[in-house]
Amino acid sequence: MDGINALLEGMSSALTPMNLLYAFLGVLLGTAIGVLPGIGPAMAIALLLPLTYTLEVEQAIIMFAGLYYGGMYGGSTTSILLNTPGESASVMTAIEGNKMAKAGRGAAALATAAIGSFVAGTIATLCLALLAPQVVKFAIQLGDPDYLAVMVFAFVAVTTVLGSSKIRGFASLGLGVWIGLIGIDQTSGQQRLTFGIDQLSDGIDVVVVAVAVFAMGEALWIAAHLRRAPARIIPIKGRLMTREDLSRSWKPWLRGSAIGFPFGAIPAGGAEIPTFLSYITERKLAKKPEEFGKGAIEGVAGPEATNNASAAGSLVPLLTLGIPTTATAAVMILAFQTYGIQPGPRLFDEQGPLVWTLIASLLIGNAMLLALNLPMAGLWAKLLLIPRPYLYAGILMFASLGAYAANGTAFDLWLLLLIGGLGFAMRRYGLPVVPLIVGLILAPRAEVFMRRALQISDGHLSGLVNTPFSKVVYALVLLVVLVPLVWGQVRKRRTPPEDPTSGPDGTRLQQHANSEGA
């Protein structure tokens, strides 16, 4: 009940006129930017982060909360009307949502996505309010070896879960760790990885890296693959939702909430797996499974609810442990650090009113999101008519302004160009972006925890695993690494080997040759 009481106090702070205004602006801008193809909530927050420097910390955090939920919902509009997911978590929505739109039921698809996002977001935010204080009480008891073990688990999980190649995942993580360790060593005072460049002595600003990788890298990548023909947008027709649509949607909304929140709270990263599980679950439980693949409303309601529940769940490790599990959460932690706030177990003690105001603003922004998107779906669809060259030229301009505003130096613009080129190359060769950001944020902190643990143990490596909690976490790390390898070997053994003497149709080549000889 302590969490509910604190949430009510945060609600009273979030309901002030100015805070409501910034929550509305966040929802409005987040939805508008999230609707645009190829732009997700992570890029939206990264682009607008420098613009909030003049705001008070409470107003900025509330605006980020609106951007967070607004950007998450905006991707569903592109998925349904354009069959172009704004981010990977909206892929499952496009499967059935676009089919519904082509059948003239785009309004119903957008409505079930909006209501499902509201239901799941509200349930998950209440779970966050109840669960976060308990996690904090447990996290305060953890020592340096325990935190190091959790960060190692986050490193391994984010590289094995995201993407199809673990090698590419670890390569991206290595790049992030390398960038994160640039600057002066806090222990010895020596410069490292600066290559004699004085401007790198203080390290590379994380805002510059986030804007470069997400905004500039994505803009360059999409600009290199611009389609000459304008995108064909399916017009919105028909009623929002019938009584039958509601009866078929409310159970997927609840099931999506139950699936999405736990996956978001686990430091494994991403909403791709839970949205896929939600789609499969709804397909198995549907009363009309024959409609799947042709525009089943359950295939939109479940994944969209799961997506938003997972987004709220990812705030649990972000706020209580200071560990980002998704790209958007990684940019959110940058927003906190910009104002000198370090997420972690002491955040609730040091910045309690601010944290509960943030959680309360999620509920308020979620309600605003529903009220805003149901009547304005047609207007958001018209944003898709913006010519791509103008759109991404504007993104590059805002990215440059954001990077320059971080420190006010022209050197950051060169870094923006260099790291933006790195982001383009990562997309070109299939390296996931999230491990780089996670490595950038967590590597300096993991180094501090590791050094402290080794100092306490007089340099013995046993000091890294001398607590029961750290041993359990490292055991989970081994399971995450070994289980996919063992399962892959089992599948190979179960698959019958191909007969080299057989043709593609199963007939033996030798018999075919004999028949020709005869």
Side-chain angles (χ1 to χ4, degrees), residues 233-267:
I233 302 172
I234 302 172
I236 301 174
K237 299 178 181 178
R239 297 172 56 188
L240 289 178
M241 291 185 73
T242 63
R243 182 174 298 179
E244 180 186 2
D245 292 334
L246 287 172
S247 66
R248 293 175 58 180
S249 297
W250 70 270
K251 289 182 180 179
W253 292 337
L254 297 180
R255 283 192 290 262
S257 304
I259 294 173
F261 183 80
F263 271 90
I266 298 173

Side-chain angles (χ1 to χ4, degrees), residues 171-435:
S172 176
L173 178 67
L175 288 172
V177 171
W178 176 62
I179 296 175
L181 296 180
I182 292 176
I184 296 177
D185 184 7
Q186 298 180 4
T187 302
S188 64
Q190 299 294 321
Q191 293 188 8
R192 58 184 181 185
L193 304 176
T194 60
F195 305 103
I197 302 175
D198 294 336
Q199 290 89 337
L200 294 178
S201 299
D202 293 331
I204 298 178
D205 195 293
V206 289
V207 175
V208 175
V209 178
V211 172
V213 172
F214 285 112
M216 179 160 282
E218 185 73 15
L220 292 175
W221 172 251
I222 296 180
H225 298 79
L226 282 176
R227 292 178 293 182
R228 294 182 180 277
R232 178 179 176 271
I233 302 172
I234 302 172
I236 301 174
K237 299 178 181 178
R239 297 172 56 188
L240 289 178
M241 291 185 73
T242 63
R243 182 174 298 179
E244 180 186 2
D245 292 334
L246 287 172
S247 66
R248 293 175 58 180
S249 297
W250 70 270
K251 289 182 180 179
W253 292 337
L254 297 180
R255 283 192 290 262
S257 304
I259 294 173
F261 183 80
F263 271 90
I266 298 173
E272 296 83 1
I273 293 178
T275 52
F276 174 75
L277 291 177
S278 174
Y279 181 82
I280 295 299
T281 301
E282 298 308 324
R283 189 164 187 166
K284 292 290 185 182
L285 299 178
K287 295 182 179 179
K288 299 179 180 180
E290 67 278 0
E291 291 189 9
F292 275 80
K294 302 177 182 178
I297 196 169
E298 297 91 340
V300 178
E304 270 303 302
T306 303
N307 188 9
N308 266 48
S310 177
S314 65
L315 293 177
V316 175
L318 172 66
L319 296 176
T320 60
L321 300 175
I323 295 179
T325 59
T326 64
T328 310
V331 181
M332 283 287 288
I333 204 172
L334 300 182
F336 278 99
Q337 292 176 347
T338 302
Y339 288 92
I341 301 173
Q342 181 58 56
R346 301 194 179 279
L347 178 64
F348 282 76
D349 291 333
E350 298 173 354
Q351 301 285 344
L354 176 64
V355 175
W356 288 110
T357 301
L358 167 65
I359 296 176
S361 66
L362 291 175
L363 292 172
I364 296 172
N366 208 21
M368 288 182 175
L369 192 65
L370 179 66
L372 186 67
N373 284 294
L374 282 178
M376 296 184 66
L379 176 62
W380 301 136
K382 292 182 180 180
L383 291 177
L384 301 174
L385 298 175
I386 298 176
R388 296 288 185 90
Y390 298 158
L391 172 62
Y392 290 101
I395 290 175
L396 293 177
M397 182 191 71
F398 278 108
S400 301
L401 290 176
Y404 184 79
N407 296 304
T409 62
F411 181 74
D412 286 339
L413 294 177
W414 290 106
L415 285 178
L416 178 75
L417 181 60
L418 179 64
I419 300 176
L422 174 64
F424 174 83
M426 291 176 66
R427 289 165 174 81
R428 168 63 180 83
Y429 294 103
L431 272 68
V433 176
V434 177

Side-chain angles (χ1 to χ4, degrees), residues 6 11 49 123 126 143 151 196 211 223 252 264 293 295 320 376 418 455 487 497 513:
M11 187 71 70
L49 177 59
I123 294 175
L126 293 176
M151 291 183 181
V211 172
T320 60
M376 296 184 66
L418 179 64
Q455 287 173 355
W487 178 245

Side-chain angles (χ1 to χ4, degrees), residues 90 117 261 397 452:
S90 301
S117 298
F261 183 80
M397 182 191 71
R452 288 178 183 172

